[in-house]
Amino acid sequence: MEKVTFAPGSVIVQEGENGDSAYFIVSGAVEVFLERNGAERRLGEIKAGEVFGEMCLIDPGPRSATVRATEETSCFVTTYDEFMALIQESPDVAIEFMRTLVRRLRELNERFAEIDGGKKGLRG
């Protein structure tokens, strides 16, 4: 794992670009957004102690959103290959990682439910 630091305003990952790494925020914060019709749609903020880019550790491929530092932000970066080796050594890491993914899926499901008039999100 490598530690990197980003200045405020720096784009860390770009929606649509291929990715094979995730970022664990040590200090600072980032905003997550999509760009549609020339306008940014903010999805949320991720702070120290959280991770982003995690989908690429399960299935490397196009990024689903853009992530930009909102303040000076330091992260540990891990690649797909590093992560696969780590979970073989320490399966508890995989469990924590899966918890993060499930929490984010639940949050997304709740957002869909709010937008879609009280239906059960993706299940509705």
Side-chain angles (χ1 to χ4, degrees):
M1 258 192 259
E2 176 185 5
K3 187 174 181 183
V4 294
T5 300
F6 301 95
S10 297
V11 171
I12 302 169
V13 299
Q14 181 72 46
E15 179 183 3
E17 288 183 349
N18 280 332
D20 73 344
S21 57
Y23 299 78
F24 176 78
I25 302 174
V26 177
S27 64
V30 300
E31 63 181 337
V32 181
F33 63 94
L34 301 174
E35 190 170 327
R36 298 293 183 265
N37 301 320
E40 291 180 3
R41 180 168 181 207
R42 192 169 191 269
L43 301 177
E45 181 179 56
I46 303 173
K47 298 180 180 182
E50 296 185 88
V51 67
F52 64 91
E54 69 279 356
M55 289 190 295
C56 288
L57 295 183
I58 300 296
D59 184 28
R63 299 288 187 181
S64 61
T66 298
V67 177
R68 177 173 50 215
T70 56
E71 55 189 75
E72 184 169 301
T73 302
S74 294
C75 303
F76 282 116
V77 183
T78 188
T79 65
Y80 173 83
D81 292 335
E82 291 171 334
F83 182 70
M84 288 299 135
L86 177 63
I87 62 173
Q88 289 177 8
E89 290 174 20
S90 304
D92 56 315
V93 171
I95 291 168
E96 286 304 314
F97 181 76
M98 285 184 263
R99 284 186 179 136
T100 298
L101 286 175
V102 168
R103 179 178 50 84
R104 292 209 176 140
L105 284 172
R106 284 185 177 142
E107 290 170 0
L108 180 62
N109 201 31
E110 289 302 316
R111 284 186 180 182
F112 275 122
E114 290 171 9
I115 292 169
D116 204 17
K119 292 184 181 176
K120 297 277 185 183
L122 294 174
R123 293 182 217 140

